[in-house]
Amino acid sequence: MTPTLPTLLVLDADPPPRLGRLTGRARIEHTDAAGLAGRLPAADVLLVWDFSSRAVRDAWPGAGPRPRWVHTASAGVEHLMCPELAVSDTVVTNARGIFDQPIAEYVAALVLAVAKDLPRTLELQRERTWRHRETRRVAGTRACVIGSGPIGRAIARTLKALDVTTALVGRVPRTGIHGPGDLDRLISRADWVISAAPLTEQTHGMFDTRRFGVMQPSAVFVNVGRGGLVDEDALAEALRRRWIAGAALDVFATEPLAQDSPLWGLPGLIVSPHMSGDTVGWRDELGSQFVELYERWAAGRPLRNVVDKKRGYVPGH
């Protein structure tokens, strides 16, 4: 008798994942957000390829069985986590490891661009204006990186290679990592404050009016974590009042950023469309990572990148 293949349900996005290696090893079905609720009961595994969708949060509380394993092709899991999933026996994994170095390189590029005034150089070139200026030296400056997971650690390593003195802040203090109690002291003397933390109940809105007020006037704030970490109104006020020298946001509370958002025109703010981790071939890397995890799951081996559903991230951060 031919054994029944596990059903792999893919919440699709364009382009779809390349799962050819699983031919004959899984019955692969595809769905959009509208069809997810009706197909969840028959699925053994759910691949959340559309990692910008909140469809899982809406569909999961319904009746019937639920997949034994959910994998999201993203580092964050807040888009899919709901109370019913959090208390279930379903294992959740994420794409930890794919975006670490690309995001670190992007942060380093932002630091260098701001220090060397490259945005203004490009503006002056378009205006055909020759205007000599002095720029900041990066070596010898201080950075505080908030988020001690793989992405935060990669950012710290990359900045240290530029001779930036870097402090790393995590949820729990340990060797080489500061705890939350040190955060205000560290950001008060940092030239670069870099947010790379996961979005949890504890971190939501952590960069608010008080925190921007703690930073020194020469500081630049960079967010490559999650938009919900930042009170965007407070950041706008800090930039308008020159409490800080500038900022760069790659993530926002609502994406895509509305055309009429005041953030577009804020002085000293660089806006990018959630692209810091997306390098050429990143989707293929995400697909390959999932296939490798599926092979482990099918063989009964322990999965990697297992998310602590109560904390909202993979332990060890």
Side-chain angles (χ1 to χ4, degrees), residues 212-292:
F212 290 121
V214 167
M215 299 177 196
Q216 56 185 350
S218 60
V220 173
F221 175 73
V222 177
N223 187 20
V224 290
R226 286 292 179 266
L229 298 170
V230 179
D231 181 334
E232 292 175 351
D233 291 336
L235 174 61
E237 181 182 26
L239 289 169
R240 291 192 189 104
R241 296 192 177 192
R242 306 292 184 183
W243 291 352
I244 60 175
L249 301 181
D250 186 56
V251 288
F252 300 86
T254 301
E255 297 181 0
L257 189 63
Q259 288 190 343
D260 60 355
S261 170
L263 293 176
W264 290 106
L266 283 176
L269 177 61
I270 296 174
V271 171
S272 58
H274 204 148
M275 58 180 283
S276 61
D278 301 347
T279 52
V280 175
W282 65 285
R283 289 184 178 87
D284 288 340
E285 290 184 49
L286 287 171
S288 295
Q289 180 188 56
F290 173 74
V291 169
E292 292 171 5

Side-chain angles (χ1 to χ4, degrees), residues 3 17 22 30 40 44 71-72 101 108 141 150 156 189 198 207:
L22 298 183
H30 297 264
L40 273 179
D44 297 294
H71 176 79
T72 178
Q101 192 56 36
T141 58
R189 58 184 187 179
F207 293 101

